[in-house]
Amino acid sequence: MNEKMKKIKEILEKKAAFDDAITLLNWDLETEAPRMAIEKKSKTLNYLSGESYSTVINDEFKELVYLVDENDLNELDRKIIQEIKKETFEKMKKIPKEDYQKYSEIVLVASRVWERAKNENNYEIFKDYLKQIIEYNKKFIKLRGYEGHPYNTLLDDYEPEMTVVELDEFFEKVRTELSPLIKKIVKSEKKVLDEEKRKKFKSLKFDIQKQKELSKEILDVMKFDFERGILKESEHPFTTDMGNKDVRITTHYYENNLLSSVYSTIHEGGHALYEQHITDEISNTILGNGTSMGIHESQSRIYENMFGRSREFLSFLYPKIEKVFDGILSKNGITAEDLYILANEVEESFIRIEADELTYPIHILIRYELEKEIFSDLDKEVDVDELAEAWADKYEKYLGIRPETYSKGILQDVHWASGLFGYFPSYALGSAYSAQIYDTINKKVNILDELKNGEFSRINEILKNNIHQFGKTKTPKEIIKDMTGKEFDSSYYIDYLIGKFSEIY
């Protein structure tokens, strides 16, 4: 191996050790650590984030990287060098270490305060943290620079090469083509499911321990590898990993809402399969993660919605639910077909993660417009009280409902507390990617026949071979083009939604 490349990899391994420790401490804080542990943990994380930063942000490492002759490297090592240059020296190095550490500490504390604020519907205790996080992100955009709209810099962190111009076009198509159908369905007097039966289902109580049992069984069906992964519980479901042999997911359980945990589990399971299927050669390098959040969300959304909410999969899942919960559905007159309707009901709702497939992209549109406005003027101070009102205004504008509490409004997502501005559009893009990916898979295997039998082996293999295994060695655009033979085309998504919900309603 090239001596410079060998030294570079040794330094990256040292950084990875710090990053693994940071990931583990964050995992612990989200899942099991007592609330009072946050002060000490935040100091530890502050130190570790500083050490991680210093490991690669120094003149010696930069000289090593830029003196390497990429022509002497194999393809994988060449991509590693290109990734270092982009992520370390074009992005991270432009942010001073003290700012990096302080910001890391703020988002850590803010995430914990957000959880309390959401549960208590107390925006006052959180809003100052939100203001600080926004101001830091504006400062970082100035330091890193931008082309076109300032928000483009943040978008690139989650979906490389994606811009406001492209997203405006995408969301305009979503808004104009889906809104008429949403309004028609919502205003329709036609009831797909008997109202008494619907109320009955909503009134049922599903034992939390049995929900945990069902979640594990669902992940087994999906072929999630419990030898290389684990399932826990958190306020907001998420997936994290330390390589393809340590992939951790969480879900959340509500006694009166079985479908919430079912679909949170399937969603995070989709993310996890992506990480578990990255090849060993790539997994322990800086290329060993999903190529973008849009492609990552395409995997969680294709499992959650296109597979998990299908009539065929729910007919397979129905008897499993019956077995775990002692026949609770049939005893209350709820059939497998009723369950399919319940899992696909279209309604104006406040909570993004509980939203049906059809209205879901509208939830993302709202967040996209808010974020774009926040970062349109980097010198303008954001009034976080006005921001909360703007959130409510947009829900009233697009869905005809106004959140009466902060918990159903600006406090419902953890993303802003975690500093993840620019992430939300990935959910809508991922959903759109998934429809085009689904179409390609279906040409190789009859998806609905597989789902009817709860069989994911062939589906997983196609996704692994065309998407998962490559990690970040391919760009999002390369993944879509190489797999489907076409550039990204959102019409697959629009046609899928209109076809599915026109049939149901």
Side-chain angles (χ1 to χ4, degrees), residues 137-138 141-142 144-159 162-165 167-168 171 364-378 416 419-426:
N137 274 279
K138 288 189 172 188
I141 292 172
K142 289 180 179 179
R144 289 169 55 184
Y146 61 90
E147 291 183 13
H149 198 291
Y151 187 43
N152 287 340
T153 296
L154 301 180
L155 291 173
D156 188 71
D157 289 339
Y158 303 100
E159 197 63 18
M162 187 57 63
T163 67
V164 163
V165 171
L167 284 174
D168 280 348
F171 280 114
I364 303 304
L365 168 64
I366 289 169
R367 288 154 178 78
Y368 168 67
E369 289 190 351
L370 289 168
E371 290 190 351
K372 188 173 70 168
E373 176 61 26
I374 288 169
F375 296 103
S376 63
D377 185 345
L378 300 181
W416 288 359
L420 302 180
F421 288 98
Y423 188 130
F424 279 121
S426 302

Side-chain angles (χ1 to χ4, degrees), residues 262-303:
V262 165
Y263 288 109
S264 290
T265 299
I266 296 175
H267 180 98
E268 301 306 331
H271 280 307
L273 289 174
Y274 192 165
E275 296 296 334
Q276 289 189 340
H277 289 164
I278 293 174
T279 61
D280 289 344
E281 180 188 21
I282 297 171
S283 180
N284 294 320
T285 75
I286 61 170
L287 301 172
N289 297 104
T291 188
S292 74
M293 287 318 304
I295 297 295
H296 233 306
E297 291 300 337
S298 77
Q299 300 310 283
S300 59
R301 303 290 291 171
I302 200 171
Y303 279 92

Side-chain angles (χ1 to χ4, degrees), residues 14 124 168 181 213 228 343 349 362 489:
K14 181 179 178 181
E124 286 296 315
D168 280 348
L181 179 60
E213 180 185 334
R228 298 188 295 159
S349 61
I362 305 301
D489 183 353

Side-chain angles (χ1 to χ4, degrees), residues 15 27 37 44 57 64 95 102 111 121 125 127 137 146 167 169 196-197 208 230 253 343 361 364-365 475 482 488 492:
K15 182 181 187 301
W27 165 265
T44 303
I57 304 298
L64 271 173
I95 298 172
K102 182 62 177 175
S111 296
N121 187 38
I125 64 173
K127 67 181 186 181
N137 274 279
Y146 61 90
L167 284 174
E169 183 181 339
E196 287 303 313
K197 192 176 285 191
I208 299 298
I230 191 171
Y253 303 99
I364 303 304
L365 168 64
T475 67
D482 291 349
F488 169 56
Y492 285 91

Side-chain angles (χ1 to χ4, degrees), residues 15-63:
K15 182 181 187 301
F18 286 119
D19 292 344
D20 280 357
I22 291 168
T23 298
L24 280 170
L25 282 171
N26 276 311
W27 165 265
D28 184 62
L29 280 169
E30 291 289 343
T31 57
E32 295 180 310
R35 181 178 293 178
M36 296 300 289
I38 187 170
E39 184 177 353
K40 186 174 186 302
K41 287 286 197 300
S42 66
K43 286 182 169 57
T44 303
L45 283 162
N46 181 287
Y47 170 78
L48 290 172
S49 65
E51 291 301 299
S52 173
Y53 178 100
S54 297
T55 302
V56 293
I57 304 298
N58 58 72
D59 292 338
E60 178 190 356
F61 185 64
K62 183 176 183 179
E63 185 177 1

Side-chain angles (χ1 to χ4, degrees), residues 198-454:
R198 183 178 182 278
K199 287 180 180 178
K200 188 70 175 178
F201 179 77
K202 300 286 186 183
S203 70
L204 296 178
K205 304 295 183 186
F206 296 89
D207 179 76
I208 299 298
Q209 283 304 123
K210 290 185 177 182
Q211 286 193 56
K212 291 180 179 180
E213 180 185 334
L214 180 65
S215 287
K216 185 177 183 304
E217 190 164 349
I218 288 171
L219 289 174
D220 279 331
V221 169
M222 292 173 64
K223 310 299 182 189
F224 174 82
D225 186 350
F226 279 97
E227 292 293 311
R228 298 188 295 159
I230 191 171
L231 171 66
K232 288 277 189 173
E233 187 176 356
S234 66
E235 178 63 30
H236 193 104
F238 69 97
T239 300
T240 193
D241 74 280
M242 290 161 283
N244 63 4
K245 295 178 176 63
D246 190 351
V247 182
R248 305 177 181 211
I249 66 177
T250 69
T251 191
H252 192 83
Y253 303 99
Y254 299 97
E255 191 179 43
N256 63 343
N257 190 347
L258 173 66
L259 293 179
S260 176
S261 66
V262 165
Y263 288 109
S264 290
T265 299
I266 296 175
H267 180 98
E268 301 306 331
H271 280 307
L273 289 174
Y274 192 165
E275 296 296 334
Q276 289 189 340
H277 289 164
I278 293 174
T279 61
D280 289 344
E281 180 188 21
I282 297 171
S283 180
N284 294 320
T285 75
I286 61 170
L287 301 172
N289 297 104
T291 188
S292 74
M293 287 318 304
I295 297 295
H296 233 306
E297 291 300 337
S298 77
Q299 300 310 283
S300 59
R301 303 290 291 171
I302 200 171
Y303 279 92
E304 175 194 353
N305 293 324
M306 302 193 78
F307 301 156
R309 294 183 195 272
S310 69
R311 181 180 275 109
E312 287 73 16
F313 181 73
L314 283 165
S315 70
F316 166 81
L317 189 63
Y318 182 87
K320 292 186 176 297
I321 295 173
E322 284 286 88
K323 183 178 179 181
V324 170
F325 292 97
D326 305 315
I328 190 171
L329 298 179
S330 58
K331 287 177 182 176
N332 286 278
I334 297 163
T335 66
E337 179 64 17
D338 295 334
L339 188 63
Y340 170 67
I341 299 300
L342 287 161
N344 290 285
E345 276 193 307
V346 175
E347 57 184 344
E348 306 118 315
S349 61
F350 297 110
I351 309 301
R352 174 186 63 84
I353 62 172
E354 308 292 349
D356 57 86
E357 274 186 277
L358 188 58
T359 61
Y360 185 87
I362 305 301
H363 289 261
I364 303 304
L365 168 64
I366 289 169
R367 288 154 178 78
Y368 168 67
E369 289 190 351
L370 289 168
E371 290 190 351
K372 188 173 70 168
E373 176 61 26
I374 288 169
F375 296 103
S376 63
D377 185 345
L378 300 181
D379 296 317
K380 181 181 178 182
E381 186 175 309
V382 173
D383 186 319
V384 289
D385 288 313
E386 289 181 2
L387 183 58
E389 281 298 303
W391 180 294
D393 290 343
K394 285 191 180 292
Y395 264 81
E396 193 163 22
K397 174 183 176 181
Y398 286 116
L399 290 172
I401 53 176
R402 190 175 187 87
E404 297 174 355
T405 66
Y406 292 116
S407 298
K408 288 183 177 180
I410 198 168
L411 288 177
Q412 67 170 275
D413 294 301
V414 71
H415 298 63
W416 288 359
S418 301
L420 302 180
F421 288 98
Y423 188 130
F424 279 121
S426 302
Y427 289 113
L429 282 171
S431 298
Y433 289 153
S434 70
Q436 192 167 342
I437 290 167
Y438 183 101
D439 180 76
T440 299
I441 299 172
N442 209 38
K443 291 172 181 174
K444 300 177 181 180
V445 57
N446 189 312
I447 293 175
L448 298 183
D449 281 351
E450 300 291 295
L451 296 178
K452 195 172 3 181
N453 298 308

Side-chain angles (χ1 to χ4, degrees), residues 98-115:
E98 57 271 22
D99 283 338
Y100 181 82
Q101 285 183 286
K102 182 62 177 175
Y103 180 70
S104 298
E105 185 175 353
I106 287 172
V107 296
L108 171 69
V109 176
S111 296
R112 301 298 285 179
V113 174
W114 163 82
E115 184 176 339

